[in-house]
Amino acid sequence: MVKREKPPADPELKRRIDELIAYQGGGHHPDLVEDIIESALKLLRDVEHRGDVRVIQTAIRELRYAFRLFAPYASTRKVTIFGSARTQPNKTEYKQAIEFARKIVEAGFMVITGAGSGIMQAGHDGNNPPIRSFNTTRN
């Protein structure tokens, strides 16, 4: 795969973005944030449908939130358990999910679920008492 060179930035746009970043006090990796801002501005021309832009907006917000939320656990290995919310506790799959969660926690992993019922609840049940379980639902 050949890496394409980024076309030269509009100097005035670059100046304004740099000024905006400075106004916010700078921070981590301003060069990458500059590129994200420039890409976001291109959405004004490149993506016509509002729903498509909302998908991108939501993805960026969710990613930023997740990175901030999980930063204290960066060195901890994680396993995500998502599954049917309709799986009942008497089902084999539910019991298997409990056992899997128990074993994965014993192996030093953090269990992450969507905090739903069914298989996700089994993930929490297998981490009882919860040592390092985490649900991603925002309060």
Side-chain angles (χ1 to χ4, degrees):
M1 184 169 154
V2 177
K3 183 179 176 183
R4 290 185 279 164
E5 287 292 317
K6 184 178 173 186
D10 174 346
E12 178 62 15
L13 179 60
K14 180 172 178 18
R15 184 191 68 74
R16 289 181 180 205
I17 293 172
D18 289 344
E19 193 174 83
L20 181 62
I21 290 170
Y23 175 77
Q24 285 294 302
H28 307 291
H29 314 291
D31 58 322
L32 299 176
V33 173
E34 178 184 326
D35 186 67
I36 292 168
I37 293 168
E38 189 176 340
S39 292
L41 291 171
K42 289 177 182 177
L43 292 171
L44 295 167
R45 293 185 312 271
D46 296 346
V47 183
E48 181 179 346
H49 298 287
R50 183 174 180 84
D52 294 341
V53 177
R54 286 281 297 156
V55 168
I56 295 167
Q57 175 196 30
T58 301
I60 290 171
R61 283 184 174 178
E62 292 292 327
L63 283 168
R64 186 191 60 78
Y65 171 76
F67 282 113
R68 184 172 50 102
L69 187 68
F70 287 107
Y73 311 101
S75 62
T76 304
R77 298 178 300 171
K78 298 158 196 71
V79 169
T80 303
I81 298 177
F82 283 100
S84 175
R86 294 178 290 278
T87 304
Q88 298 299 311
N90 62 340
K91 295 292 185 181
T92 301
E93 296 87 349
Y94 190 98
K95 293 172 184 167
Q96 289 172 332
I98 289 173
E99 185 63 17
F100 173 76
R102 187 186 63 72
K103 286 180 177 180
I104 208 72
V105 168
E106 287 174 0
F109 287 79
M110 175 186 286
V111 173
I112 302 168
T113 76
S117 56
I119 293 295
M120 292 173 282
Q121 180 61 46
H124 285 287
D125 291 349
N127 190 24
N128 197 2
I131 299 167
R132 288 190 304 197
S133 181
F134 203 92
N135 77 60
T136 58
T137 304
R138 288 192 243 177
N139 295 328

